[in-house]
């Protein structure tokens, strides 16, 4: 069981709370809560199976777990909050794939009570099923994930400090703190890193990093963040931009102590990659046509006017697309439009987190693009 995960003996409210923290956000919070409460009621007399469920969900399936079974109904479906659905699909959507369809699941070999085996009991352990059909976004669920799920680089102002810290895919939760213990495994300690060019501002800010932040990789590559520090942290996140109704890259988000929030959505990132790459490709083709004077209409005289208008879109390069796959986070001090510091490179201590699954998908997107014409090659 993961550190901090409650045992089945902890009481229903605390188990519900813990399992709610791991939901993927496809259904409403009230539906998720009802679905979890309904399942806990059915597992009341099955302590071992409930412990298996808690361990599987809170560790993202890091270790093998037992079947978690409920009684099969006459039509095979389960009713939760007035809605009917197949039980294994409901809980796989809840904790793994929010956009899952019922015909996309296949049970793993060692599952003894899988839905398709037609036993009187049905296993609803979400880690006893695999997704076999890629969703509409074209995201390839079956492609092999990277060895490390992220790399974290630490900076003071514009100076990189220390080695890049890589987090293995088998270690979904990593803590970045200000202490002086040796770094390793799931913990990156910034306190022990030395910098001969360290400024007074960095020296002061570093004293306030404290317990820092915890980053957690969920599902195939979504990222959640918890602020453990006594001071706010400031994050650049395209996912939070979208949630706040801001243009991508337009805002810096202040995350208060104790907050637990999703900061990266893999599917959203994959869609943005496709959109931006396609926009750049189309703009480059149109720009080439405009310069050659082959675009009809009043704007084509001399070919210059439309070319100027298209140059911004055609100027999207690989670096712009890579930015979609990166989180930047400053400790203690903010930056951007609402602060005196315009750039994160003016803040005393900050980290850049490169997300490897997203970068892997970007590589696939770029390889799938036509070679001509285009600014991305």
């Amino acid at each position: 069981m993961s550190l901090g995960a409650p045992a089945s003996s902890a009481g229903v409210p605390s188990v519900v709370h813990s399992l709610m923290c791991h939901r993927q956000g496809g259904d409403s919070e009230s539906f998720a809560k009802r679905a979890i409460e309904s399942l806990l009621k059915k597992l009341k007399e099955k302590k071992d199976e409930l412990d298996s469920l808690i361990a599987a969900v809170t560790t993202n399936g890091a270790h093998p777990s037992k079947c978690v079974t409920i009684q099969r109904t006459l039509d095979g479906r389960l009713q939760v909050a007035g809605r009917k659905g197949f039980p294994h699909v409901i809980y796989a959507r809840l904790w793994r794939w929010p956009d899952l369809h019922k015909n996309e699941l296949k049970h793993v070999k060692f599952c003894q009570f899988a839905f398709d085996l037609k036993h009187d009991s049905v296993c609803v352990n979400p880690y006893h099923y695999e997704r076999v059909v890629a969703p509409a976004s074209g995201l390839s669920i079956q492609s092999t994930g990277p060895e490390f799920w992220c790399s974290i680089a630490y900076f003071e102002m514009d100076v990189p400090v220390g080695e890049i810290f890589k987090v293995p895919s088998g270690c979904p939760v990593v803590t970045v703190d200000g202490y002086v213990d040796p770094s390793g495994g799931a913990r990156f300690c910034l306190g022990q890193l030395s910098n001969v060019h360290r400024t007074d501002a960095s020296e002061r800010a570093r004293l306030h990093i404290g317990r820092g932040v915890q980053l957690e990789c969920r599902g195939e590559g979504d990222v959640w963040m918890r602020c453990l520090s006594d001071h706010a942290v400031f994050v650049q996140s395209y996912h939070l931009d979208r949630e706040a109704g801001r243009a991508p890259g337009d805002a810096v988000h202040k995350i208060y102590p104790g907050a637990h929030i999703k900061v990266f959505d893999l599917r959203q990132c994959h869609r943005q990659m496709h959109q931006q790459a396609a926009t750049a490709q189309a703009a480059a083709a149109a720009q080439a046509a405009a310069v050659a004077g082959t675009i009809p209409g009043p704007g084509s005289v001399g070919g210059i006017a439309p070319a100027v208008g298209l140059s911004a879109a055609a100027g999207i390069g690989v670096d712009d697309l890579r930015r979609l796959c990166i989180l930047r986070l400053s400790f203690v001090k903010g930056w951007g439009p609402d602060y005196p510091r315009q750039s994160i490179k003016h803040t005393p201590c900050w980290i850049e987190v490169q997300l490897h699954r997203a970068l892997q998908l970007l590589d696939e997107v770029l390889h799938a693009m036509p070679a001509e014409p285009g600014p991305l090659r």
Side-chain angles (χ1 to χ4, degrees), residues 284-307:
Q287 191 179 23
V291 170
T294 56
I295 291 182
S300 66
V301 184
I304 297 302

Side-chain angles (χ1 to χ4, degrees), residues 156-157 195-204 348:
E156 292 176 3
M157 309 301 214
N195 173 14
V196 293
H197 303 293
R198 182 164 291 150
T199 62
D200 288 345
S202 293
E203 196 74 71
R204 282 195 304 275

Side-chain angles (χ1 to χ4, degrees), residues 326-347:
I326 288 170
L327 293 169
R328 285 176 155 189
L329 181 157
S330 163
F331 294 99
V332 189
K333 299 291 183 184
W335 84 95
D338 305 326
Y339 296 90
R341 302 167 190 80
Q342 287 310 294
S343 159
I344 195 168
K345 292 183 178 180
H346 299 147
T347 64

Side-chain angles (χ1 to χ4, degrees), residues 51-290:
D51 281 338
S52 263
L53 175 75
I54 295 167
V57 171
T58 57
T59 64
N60 295 316
H63 308 290
S65 51
K66 296 179 186 168
C67 284
V68 177
T69 60
I70 61 172
Q71 188 71 30
R72 183 186 290 271
T73 57
L74 285 173
D75 68 354
R77 294 187 301 166
L78 183 69
Q79 182 153 334
V80 176
R83 280 165 48 186
K84 276 197 155 194
F86 293 108
H88 63 312
V89 176
I90 289 174
Y91 295 105
R93 278 174 60 103
L94 180 62
W95 286 307
R96 294 194 72 183
W97 305 288
D99 59 349
L100 181 74
H101 295 289
K102 65 175 184 285
N103 56 352
E104 292 182 347
L105 283 183
K106 183 181 84 174
H107 63 270
V108 295
K109 287 194 182 103
F110 55 80
C111 182
Q112 297 171 298
F113 295 95
F115 183 82
D116 294 337
L117 298 179
K118 303 281 195 290
H119 291 304
D120 288 344
S121 294
V122 178
C123 178
V124 294
N125 183 335
Y127 291 93
H128 277 205
Y129 295 89
E130 289 172 344
R131 192 172 187 174
V132 290
V133 180
S137 71
L139 196 52
S140 164
I141 296 291
Q142 292 293 65
S143 59
T144 313
E147 184 185 353
F148 300 96
W149 72 265
C150 75
S151 299
I152 307 172
Y154 171 62
F155 296 82
E156 292 176 3
M157 309 301 214
D158 58 353
V159 179
V161 177
E163 301 284 320
I164 288 175
F165 186 80
K166 291 186 175 183
V167 186
S169 292
C171 205
V173 180
V174 62
T175 304
V176 183
D177 61 41
Y179 301 126
V180 295
D181 301 327
S183 295
R187 191 170 171 211
F188 185 19
C189 297
L190 306 177
Q192 41 96 22
L193 300 175
S194 57
N195 173 14
V196 293
H197 303 293
R198 182 164 291 150
T199 62
D200 288 345
S202 293
E203 196 74 71
R204 282 195 304 275
R206 280 165 55 82
L207 297 174
H208 297 295
I209 296 173
R211 293 171 63 206
V213 295
Q214 192 178 68
L215 298 169
E216 180 187 2
C217 181
R218 287 196 192 171
E220 205 197 341
D222 293 350
V223 179
W224 288 66
M225 190 188 89
R226 192 184 296 276
C227 179
L228 303 174
S229 174
D230 293 335
H231 294 264
V233 294
F234 301 82
V235 181
Q236 193 171 47
S237 152
Y238 289 98
H239 175 71
L240 292 178
D241 292 341
R242 183 178 168 178
E243 294 290 296
R246 303 284 292 263
D250 184 40
V252 176
H253 304 271
K254 185 174 185 176
I255 312 295
Y256 289 91
H260 184 219
I261 191 166
K262 186 176 185 177
V263 290
F264 180 79
D265 185 291
L266 188 68
R267 292 185 194 289
Q268 178 194 336
C269 174
H270 195 233
R271 281 194 298 271
Q272 281 180 295
M273 279 175 204
H274 274 294
Q275 286 164 0
Q276 289 198 18
T279 301
Q281 202 74 18
Q287 191 179 23

